[in-house]
Amino acid sequence: MTSTALKPHQKELWGHPIGLYILFFTEMWERFSYYGMRAILVIYMIAKASDENGPGLGWTKVEALQLYGWYVMLVYVISIPGGIIADKMLGQKKTVLLGALILVAGHGTLAIDAPWAFFTGLILIILGVGCLKPNISTMVGGLYRKGDIRRDKGFSIFYIGINLGSLLATSLIGLVVAEWGWHAGFGMAGVAMLFGLLVYLYGQKYIVHVGNKPTLQEKEEDVSLVKIFYKLFSSPFQLGVFIILLGLSIYAGFTFDGVDHWGYGALFIFLSFVVGMLMMIYKSLESQVQKDRFLVLLLSFFIVIVFWGAFEQAGGLMSIYTETKTDRMLFGYLIPTPMFQGLNAGFILLFAVWVANIWAKRKLKGKEASSLFKMAVGTIIMGLGFVFMIFAVRDYDAHGKSAMIWLVLAYFFHTIGELSSSPVSLSFITKLAPVKYASLMMGVYFAATGLGGKVAGILGEKSAVFGDYAIFAGITIFTVAFGLLVISILKPLKRLTHGAEDDEHEMHGENEGFELAEN
Ligand code: GLN
């Protein structure tokens, strides 16, 4: 076929389908709005009525951090229903559109200066991200055929879009808030999301072949989730496991205090339903290959929780460490704390292609470069970054302030670890998940990152009891040991993937009329 005869969705640019760039810019604007809003959320909650940027909510730090923790977790946990809506009803493409519309409404609502608008806005953003984030990620996988080696690179490029959005937003939003106040900042996030929506609408012709609604036939063949739950009740063993799980969850959830009491109770009950559902999906899979792949995917989610449980210290303990214990003076200028968080996004832009190339070359040479290996190595590299935080604590103990180079090095290692692990996990899911449950599994993945974020918050709080040194040292030891453990059982784990990654090779110009990897 000559290039002039190609339909828009078959065309490529710089070695990738044009659809990738449409999803890239849509997600860039979505993440711009998400990270821009996130950068001012906590400081808006604790700002007093007399604040120089206009009146804030005047909450205490504990109240603000508590709401923040739940917000960040829910944003990702709602990816599970977001994935189910896509798999069962709308398809990924329409669910992303729905998410984008809800997000424009959510960020727009936050621009209104009224108490009702604050909570309504947050709820809308949680729902919008839940619809958009897992499904747009699954669609990236859908752009590549089974076995196409460009898939991992495609996800790395997509990941650059995410961080470009984050870097732009975190650099700009502070200036907008200082000039025009909090609600202008929230409004800016809304405008950014509107750009994302427009890019997505414009780019439809480049993604006609991905993320479509399940066909009537697929729906008929499909086992509905209700039926899956019905099956749960017809098997005494599984019903027993489910009831024990639910009982433990209710007990564990309701032993927490305060706001957390209801929050954890509801969360644990929700999670036991998710586990029950996953158990029954496993049972409903037809072949042993599908079952094994599903199992290895679930096991890989433990790596995800460990990874994000450590990594997400960035927004919590490391941020407080930066603010209170780090010497931030550079050539007579005091560097604002949020800028250190921008280091992560900046390093990603600089090193994403480099890290992806290193892994791709390794793979072409026939050396070990499976997704599970990359995820384990990424966890180790990220964990080693905390060694620099240990140096920072020692520096602080000796001199009363720690040098900022420790933070720069820690964030550098965290970023290289993230690049080895996070885009790879996204790609891995699109290779292994059963097609019928592709979006749901992406949702479960994001929920795992959200749970990791909650673990990070809890660990951060524990530093008040055990001290920073013990927390940073503990994270280093645990993550490195965990990564090594995964590598030591790599062979049996890989056997469970049944060669899902063995026959990858370059496939230019073949991006036509297919959905996800079939398995
Ligand atoms: N920083 C990445 C993003 O915003 C990953 C977040 C996550 O997986 N929890 O997409």
Side-chain angles (χ1 to χ4, degrees), residues 27 31 34-35 76 133 159 162-163 308 311-312 344 348 418 422 426 445-446 449-450:
E27 179 65 341
R31 290 286 99 181
Y34 176 79
Y35 284 112
Y76 290 118
K133 183 85 169 133
Y159 218 72
I162 289 174
N163 287 282
W308 292 97
F311 182 93
E312 286 288 336
N344 174 233
I348 285 191
E418 181 186 357
S422 181
L426 297 176
Y445 164 76
F446 278 112
T449 72

Side-chain angles (χ1 to χ4, degrees), residues 25 41 63 82 210 224 238 338 387 393-394 422-423 435 482 484:
F25 284 110
L41 181 62
E63 285 168 339
V210 285
S224 82
Q238 267 134 31
V387 170
V393 177
R394 297 190 71 129
S422 181
V435 182
F482 183 82
L484 292 174

